């Protein structure tokens, strides 16, 4: 009692299970003896001896309940009288509160859930199913007296599972509904509807994730790292990162800037081809930075001539979000962009503080930067992706509120040469190592 196990003799344990199966109803001593002792024929003058056997087991049962406190045995195992043609006959019944018997509490919780709103129903059903520890009354499941209660509880559990799936679905939590549906399908392999529910949930999850290839929530933080197949400029809810050369050229003339590059698409997609509008916003942002040098007309005949340090990250307002123009390569005077792994790492390390400062705590979307015309040939696409993820995770050591979501957007043609399992392994390792975050301070 009070969480401590109590050992009962086999017959007393069977008698307790018989009373549990009665579900609160009184059972005569005669019926208890027949069911518990499995009597098939009642001999003459044996009734008194049988009643005495039942009373001995009832006494043992009450003593066990008395360990919870004096008088608990008499309160829980009640004695009554039933008038019959043979005279008054003793009866016994369990009088337990709802929270004293798992099957009663299970029934109540499921019943309450059936009339509750989805969020409350999910909580009640999950609480009810935690009480389920295998087949009910398993020690006497084959007995006639247990058939009804076992069937009722089993059907009630099926209802609970079905309603839990419906509750999670109503709340849009298909990821939580799916394991419940899969469990139901395993238990009922011949039920086509159970298999159909699994199929529908899988379809909804695929539809919700769309082209999402990987999602990992960093342990201890409300920060997600996502790898997405698609178009950077379709990420309308996110700030964007666009790579630039150190001169911050914008005119997509296919000489200095390729129209197919991310820079060229930036001008077309977000500035309607008006590169001078982007120029003006860049000029305002670049006032915060000190130029390195200015080339002469003779040395650099095309494009802008003022150079800024690699790692310069300029927040460009576009509506209610920001485009971070990141200088991670150098545009030589022969108009070829060049960068190196060390320069890309430095640029990314300087990008994330700028995102934290100017990004309005929105998701930030970044392409597989370094894979294009900057010609960082020393790193393959997996290494470039890992570098983005690694520098972002490292930035969280200094400021865990850089962004709620890092979204790396890669093209389909880049995907076949990218090993996402390596990225997932890195993120799992980051969880295991933990991110030593700075201590919080009171305001």
């Amino acid at each position: 009692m009070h969480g401590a196990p109590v050992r009962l003799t086999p017959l007393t344990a069977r008698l307790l299970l018989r009373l549990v199966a009665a579900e609160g109803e009184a059972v005569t001593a005669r019926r208890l003896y027949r069911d518990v002792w499995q009597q098939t024929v009642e001999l003459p003058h044996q009734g008194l001896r049988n009643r005495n056997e039942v009373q001995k087991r009832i006494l043992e049962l009450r003593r066990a309940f008395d360990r919870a406190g004096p008088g608990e045995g008499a309160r829980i195992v009640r004695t009554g009288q039933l008038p019959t043609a043979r005279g008054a006959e003793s009866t016994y019944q369990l009088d337990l509160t709802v929270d004293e018997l798992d099957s009663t509490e299970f029934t109540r919780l499921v019943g309450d859930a059936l009339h509750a709103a989805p969020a409350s129903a999910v909580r009640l059903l999950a609480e009810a199913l935690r009480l389920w520890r295998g087949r009910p009354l398993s020690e006497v499941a084959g007995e006639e007296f247990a058939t009804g209660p076992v069937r009722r509880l089993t059907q009630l559990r099926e209802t609970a599972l079905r309603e839990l799936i419906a509750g999670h679905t109503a709340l849009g939590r298909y990821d939580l509904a799916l394991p419940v549906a899969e469990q139901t399908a395993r238990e009922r392999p011949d039920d086509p509807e159970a298999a159909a529910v699994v199929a529908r949930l899988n379809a909804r999850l695929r539809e919700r994730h769309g082209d999402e290839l990987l999602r990992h929530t960093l342990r201890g933080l409300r920060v997600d790292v996502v790898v997405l197949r698609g178009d950077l400029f379709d990420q309308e809810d996110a700030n964007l990162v666009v790579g630039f050369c150190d001169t911050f050229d914008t005119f997509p003339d296919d000489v200095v800037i390729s129209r197919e590059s991310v820079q060229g698409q930036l001008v077309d997609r977000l500035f309607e081809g008006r590169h001078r509008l982007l120029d003006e916003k860049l000029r305002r942002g670049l006032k915060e930075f000190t130029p390195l040098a200015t080339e002469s007309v003779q040395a650099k005949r095309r494009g802008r001539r003022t150079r800024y340090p690699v790692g310069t990250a300029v927040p460009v307002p576009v509506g209610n979000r920001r485009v971070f123009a990141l200088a991670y390569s150098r545009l030589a005077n022969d108009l070829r962009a060049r960068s190196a792994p060390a320069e890309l790492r430095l640029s990314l390390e300087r990008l994330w503080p700028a995102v934290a400062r100017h990004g309005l705590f929105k998701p930030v979307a970044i392409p597989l930067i370094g894979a294009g015309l900057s010609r960082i040939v020393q790193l393959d696409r997996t290494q470039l992706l890992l570098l983005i993820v690694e520098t972002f995770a490292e930035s969280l050591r200094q400021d865990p509120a850089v962004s709620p979501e890092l979204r790396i957007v890669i093209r389909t043609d880049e995907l076949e040469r990218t090993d996402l399992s390596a990225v997932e392994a890195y993120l799992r390792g980051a969880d295991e190592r933990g991110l030593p975050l700075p201590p919080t301070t009171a305001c």
Side-chain angles (χ1 to χ4, degrees):
M1 306 301 292
H2 294 299
V6 175
R7 186 178 297 278
L8 298 173
T9 58
L11 278 174
T12 304
R14 278 180 58 83
L15 184 139
L16 174 59
L17 290 169
R18 176 64 185 88
L19 291 174
V20 169
E23 299 183 307
E25 296 294 325
V27 185
T28 64
R30 181 190 301 273
R31 184 61 181 266
L32 284 173
Y33 189 86
R34 190 184 73 184
D35 290 344
V36 173
W37 278 260
Q38 297 181 314
Q39 180 190 36
T40 55
V41 178
E42 184 175 345
L43 300 176
H45 313 297
Q46 195 177 354
L48 179 60
R49 188 189 315 165
N50 294 352
R51 287 195 298 274
N52 289 339
E53 283 293 325
V54 171
Q55 288 168 356
K56 283 168 52 180
R57 305 301 170 182
I58 291 291
L59 181 60
E60 181 186 348
L61 194 55
R62 283 176 173 159
R63 285 172 178 166
F65 282 123
D66 277 340
R67 297 189 188 185
E72 283 296 284
R75 176 188 72 81
I76 293 172
V77 185
R78 294 188 175 275
T79 302
Q81 295 290 319
L82 178 69
T84 70
R86 303 179 185 181
E89 192 170 345
S90 296
T91 62
Y92 301 96
Q93 71 181 110
L94 284 183
D95 186 11
L96 292 166
T97 61
V98 169
D99 58 353
E100 288 179 324
L101 185 62
D102 283 355
S103 60
T104 306
E105 187 176 6
F106 176 80
T107 301
R108 178 187 65 80
L109 288 168
V110 177
D112 289 349
L114 294 177
H115 304 286
S120 299
V122 163
R123 175 183 58 80
L124 291 166
L125 292 166
E127 189 176 343
L129 289 166
R130 279 195 291 271
L131 298 173
W132 193 271
R133 299 180 180 86
R135 190 179 183 187
L137 302 173
S138 57
E139 299 90 336
V140 292
E143 304 286 351
E144 180 183 351
F145 63 81
T147 301
V150 169
R151 182 189 303 114
R152 183 186 67 80
L153 288 169
T154 301
Q155 291 174 344
L156 196 59
R157 176 176 176 267
E158 291 176 358
T159 298
L161 290 170
R162 185 170 60 250
E163 292 299 317
L164 184 57
I165 294 168
H168 283 315
T169 301
L171 296 172
R173 295 305 307 269
Y174 308 126
D175 55 329
L176 298 181
L178 181 60
V180 184
E182 289 174 335
Q183 176 185 348
T184 302
R186 284 194 300 271
E187 294 176 1
R188 302 168 64 181
D190 297 326
D191 184 349
E193 178 55 28
V197 170
V198 173
R200 286 197 295 269
L201 288 170
N202 274 316
R204 289 191 176 188
L205 279 170
R206 285 194 298 271
E207 179 181 314
R208 187 183 73 178
H209 290 301
D211 288 319
E212 189 176 292
L213 304 171
L214 183 152
R215 178 177 289 272
H216 182 95
T217 302
L218 290 168
R219 184 181 299 168
L221 298 172
R222 292 183 298 170
V223 177
D224 289 341
V225 176
V226 180
V227 179
L228 182 73
R229 174 177 47 207
D231 186 328
L232 177 72
F233 296 101
D234 287 340
Q235 314 308 309
E236 297 179 354
D237 63 326
N239 297 320
L240 306 182
V241 177
V242 176
F244 276 75
C245 296
D246 59 339
T247 53
F248 286 93
D249 284 278
T250 61
F251 181 41
D253 57 358
D254 284 331
V255 177
V256 179
I257 302 296
S258 168
R259 294 181 187 276
E260 295 181 357
S261 68
V262 179
Q263 288 171 264
Q265 292 180 61
L266 170 64
V267 174
D268 286 340
R269 301 280 292 275
L270 297 189
F271 291 89
E272 299 177 341
R274 296 181 293 170
H275 73 93
R276 294 189 187 280
L277 177 58
L278 175 56
D279 267 342
E280 179 56 33
K281 292 193 175 189
L282 281 170
R283 268 194 291 268
R284 285 201 294 266
L286 285 167
K287 289 179 181 179
E288 303 295 324
F289 300 91
T290 303
L292 282 179
T294 301
E295 298 282 357
S296 67
V297 176
Q298 291 77 14
K300 190 172 186 291
R301 293 184 177 278
R302 303 192 65 160
R304 301 182 66 178
R305 297 180 178 89
T306 302
R307 296 188 180 278
Y308 290 86
V310 167
T312 300
V314 184
V316 177
V318 179
N320 61 353
R321 56 182 178 149
R322 303 289 181 268
V323 173
F324 289 89
L326 177 65
Y328 74 99
S329 64
R330 302 178 189 275
L331 185 64
N333 290 347
D334 63 2
L335 302 183
R336 292 180 63 187
R338 294 175 174 85
S339 189
E343 291 174 316
L344 178 57
R345 175 179 286 277
L346 173 65
S347 300
L348 290 168
E349 288 173 346
R350 293 182 177 177
L351 166 67
W352 306 124
V355 171
R357 192 161 55 250
H358 302 288
L360 309 174
F361 201 57
K362 291 178 178 288
V364 58
I366 183 172
L368 198 56
I369 200 165
L373 295 175
S374 58
R375 300 174 175 87
I376 303 180
V377 296
Q378 300 94 325
L379 301 178
D380 62 26
R381 282 162 174 74
T382 302
Q383 291 169 315
L384 291 171
L385 182 53
L386 282 168
L387 187 56
I388 295 170
V389 173
E390 179 187 339
T391 55
F392 176 78
E394 289 292 327
S395 75
L396 299 177
R397 297 174 183 269
Q398 301 302 318
D399 187 350
V402 173
S403 170
E405 179 179 296
L406 169 64
R407 191 180 302 167
I408 305 163
V409 185
I410 62 178
R411 302 191 311 267
T412 300
D413 62 312
E414 295 171 329
L415 181 59
E416 62 185 23
R417 289 174 285 177
T418 308
D419 180 9
L420 295 185
S421 64
V423 179
E424 188 176 30
Y426 171 82
L427 291 167
R428 287 200 309 269
D431 278 344
E432 292 169 3
R433 295 188 299 272
L435 290 172
L437 302 176
T440 57
T441 56
C443 296

